[in-house]
């Protein structure tokens, strides 16, 4: 992992070098942040990036800042990570904002949006279209600083034990699905469950759930999802791009030096680039392996995708009506995408 990051780290090092010289680094108090992850460190990209974060930060800070990775549940249960960081029970978490959807309806907009854009457009909105500022304000109300730190390519849509040819088959189906996609499935009659990733495979194996979406093919393969269902659906309409974040208690963040904060920000920006490149480079081998193991790859028929899209439109309208922050984020996101269309239609090949 460290070898792959060398070029990105060199760029990050140049970016932070101007902020302080050796003298200031020597004067900084050494700090170690305790970071609770919601993903196992063994998970490709999703967990590995978080696990290596401390090593990279420590290298660039000359040892004055470290971030200690803790596996899910080691300090607090994964579902309690947001609240724990908010109150200072833990310094930081390796996190998907979508897990905070129950507390903050708009949070999922900063992890993945159904029928959302590919990574370049999503990142453009986040960094330069107002998304980052909105999320900083919303997370700040909970005493949390959230830093975008990983970007993933499209997820698969899910694992099913039988072929799905009609939306009616979804009614009553118990399915593990994350974020805003879960609201869409509920709209179509499924019983959506937001289980931690580590609990999803046992639930599928035991029959507690009937179907599950987890992540991209390389991660699903590593989890052994193919052992319990053999119909694998694409595209991942619910997560065309996924954003993952480092969240830090605001009081802890404010206690870091300007240089230490800059190092964290630059390491995370480097991770955004590395993670999307690795994600795109590793899916086709995983898909081929899954086919060799007897998995049938399906692409949703247009009529079912249209049903998902219509249900999402209804869900988004309801959430905007019921939550002022969601309405602000949704309006910002929609306006950016509308304005982006002239560039997308003219600048890119179909």
């Amino acid at each position: 992992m460290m070898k792959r990051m060398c070029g990105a780290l060199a760029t990050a090092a140049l970016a932070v070098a101007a902020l302080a010289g050796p003298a200031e680094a020597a004067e900084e108090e050494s700090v170690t942040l305790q970071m609770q992850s919601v993903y196992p460190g063994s998970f490709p990209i999703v967990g590995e990036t978080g696990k290596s974060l401390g090593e990279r930060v420590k290298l660039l800070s000359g040892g004055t800042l470290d971030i200690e990775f803790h596996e899910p549940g080691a300090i607090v249960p994964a579902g309690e990570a947001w609240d724990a960081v908010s109150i200072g029970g833990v310094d930081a978490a390796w996190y998907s904002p979508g897990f905070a959807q129950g507390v903050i309806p708009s949070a999922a907009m900063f992890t993945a949006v159904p029928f959302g854009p590919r990574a370049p457009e999503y990142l453009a909105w986040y960094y330069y279209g107002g998304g980052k500022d909105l999320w900083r304000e919303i997370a700040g109300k909970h005493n949390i600083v959230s830093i975008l730190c990983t970007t993933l390519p499209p997820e698969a849509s899910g694992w099913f034990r039988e072929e799905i040819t009609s939306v009616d088959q979804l009614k009553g189906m118990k399915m593990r699905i994350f974020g805003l996609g879960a609201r869409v499935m509920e709209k179509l009659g499924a019983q959506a469950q937001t289980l931690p990733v580590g609990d999803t495979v046992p639930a599928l194996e035991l029959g507690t759930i009937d179907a599950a979406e987890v992540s991209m093919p390389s991660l699903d393969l590593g989890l052994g999802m193919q052992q319990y269902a053999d119909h694998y659906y694409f595209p991942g309409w619910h997560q065309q791009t996924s954003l993952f974040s480092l969240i830090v208690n605001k009081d802890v963040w404010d206690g870091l030096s300007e240089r230490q904060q800059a190092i964290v920000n630059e390491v995370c920006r480097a991770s955004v680039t590395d993670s999307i490149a690795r994600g795109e480079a590793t899916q086709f081998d995983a898909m081929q392996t899954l086919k060799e193991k007897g998995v049938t790859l399906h692409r949703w028929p247009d009529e079912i995708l249209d049903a998902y899209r219509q249900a999402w439109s209804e869900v988004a309208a309801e959430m905007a009506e019921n939550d002022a922050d969601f309405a602000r984020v949704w309006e910002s996101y929609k306006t950016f995408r509308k304005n982006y269309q002239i560039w997308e239609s003219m600048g890119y090949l179909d």
Side-chain angles (χ1 to χ4, degrees), residues 14-196:
L14 289 172
V16 300
L19 292 175
E24 181 177 336
E27 293 172 0
E28 284 177 339
E29 180 181 353
S30 293
V31 179
T32 298
L33 304 187
Q34 303 301 318
M35 182 180 73
Q36 170 73 71
S37 179
V38 298
Y39 299 102
S42 60
F43 279 9
I45 307 178
V46 176
E48 291 172 348
T49 304
K51 193 169 184 178
S52 68
L53 181 66
E55 298 171 7
R56 293 177 280 144
V57 166
K58 188 173 183 178
L59 175 65
L60 287 181
S61 69
T64 70
L65 179 61
D66 192 7
I67 300 176
E68 187 171 336
F69 180 94
H70 294 274
E71 295 287 347
I75 303 177
V76 296
E80 298 176 14
W82 178 271
D83 289 339
V85 174
S86 177
I87 65 175
V90 63
D91 298 323
W94 187 246
Y95 198 70
S96 291
F99 280 119
Q101 182 176 317
V103 179
I104 308 170
S106 61
M109 289 289 297
F110 302 96
T111 289
V113 185
F115 297 95
R118 296 179 181 180
E121 184 182 352
Y122 203 179
L123 292 172
W125 170 70
Y126 182 84
Y127 282 125
Y128 297 106
K132 179 181 177 181
D133 292 337
L134 281 166
W135 184 226
R136 181 191 295 118
E137 176 194 337
I138 293 167
K141 297 176 185 177
H142 298 262
N143 201 40
I144 284 176
V145 173
S146 183
I147 304 159
L148 176 59
C149 216
T150 297
T151 306
L152 296 184
E155 293 198 349
S157 188
W159 293 87
F160 298 83
R161 292 195 173 94
E162 59 183 26
E163 185 175 359
I164 306 298
T165 59
S166 167
V167 173
D168 289 338
Q169 290 174 260
L170 303 175
K171 294 179 180 177
M173 180 180 289
K174 292 177 288 186
M175 182 177 182
R176 188 278 181 191
I177 184 168
F178 174 77
L180 295 168
R183 298 288 298 270
V184 172
M185 294 302 288
E186 289 172 344
K187 176 70 71 172
L188 294 173
Q191 298 177 31
Q193 301 181 23
T194 305
L195 297 173

Side-chain angles (χ1 to χ4, degrees), residues 214-292:
V214 176
S215 188
M216 52 196 169
S218 62
L219 179 50
D220 287 357
L221 172 63
L223 288 173
M225 299 291 290
Q226 70 278 0
Q227 299 177 53
Y228 311 108
D230 53 13
H231 293 276
Y232 198 25
Y233 274 84
F234 297 84
W237 55 269
H238 64 302
Q239 287 188 239
Q240 282 288 282
T241 304
S242 301
L243 307 180
F244 297 84
S245 299
L246 167 67
I247 62 171
V248 186
N249 175 272
K250 189 176 184 303
D251 297 325
V252 171
W253 179 258
D254 290 345
L256 300 180
S257 71
E258 181 181 2
R259 177 177 174 274
Q260 289 170 331
Q261 291 177 357
I263 287 169
V264 173
N265 282 323
E266 293 302 325
V267 166
C268 279
R269 279 188 179 257
S271 295
V272 166
T273 302
D274 183 71
S275 56
I276 189 62
R278 287 184 63 203
E280 292 286 355
T282 55
Q283 302 318 309
F284 46 86
D285 282 344
M287 293 175 75
Q288 186 59 45
T289 300
L290 287 167
K291 287 179 65 177
E292 293 168 359

Side-chain angles (χ1 to χ4, degrees), residues 311-323 326-327 330 334:
W312 164 237
S313 178
E314 295 173 12
V315 167
E318 291 167 2
M319 293 184 71
E321 183 177 353
N322 293 327
D323 185 81
F326 187 95
W330 182 237
K334 286 196 303 179

Side-chain angles (χ1 to χ4, degrees), residues 290-344:
L290 287 167
K291 287 179 65 177
E292 293 168 359
K293 290 180 177 292
V295 172
T296 302
L297 306 181
H298 298 272
R299 187 173 179 88
W300 289 114
D302 290 343
E303 58 269 23
I304 295 183
L305 278 177
D306 288 344
Y308 288 144
R309 184 179 285 106
Q310 177 58 37
W312 164 237
S313 178
E314 295 173 12
V315 167
E318 291 167 2
M319 293 184 71
E321 183 177 353
N322 293 327
D323 185 81
D325 282 337
F326 187 95
R328 289 194 301 140
V329 175
W330 182 237
E331 186 60 34
S332 169
Y333 171 87
K334 286 196 303 179
T335 299
F336 186 88
R337 296 210 71 189
K338 180 179 179 181
N339 292 337
Y340 186 85
Q341 286 177 359
I342 187 173
W343 163 239
E344 182 179 41

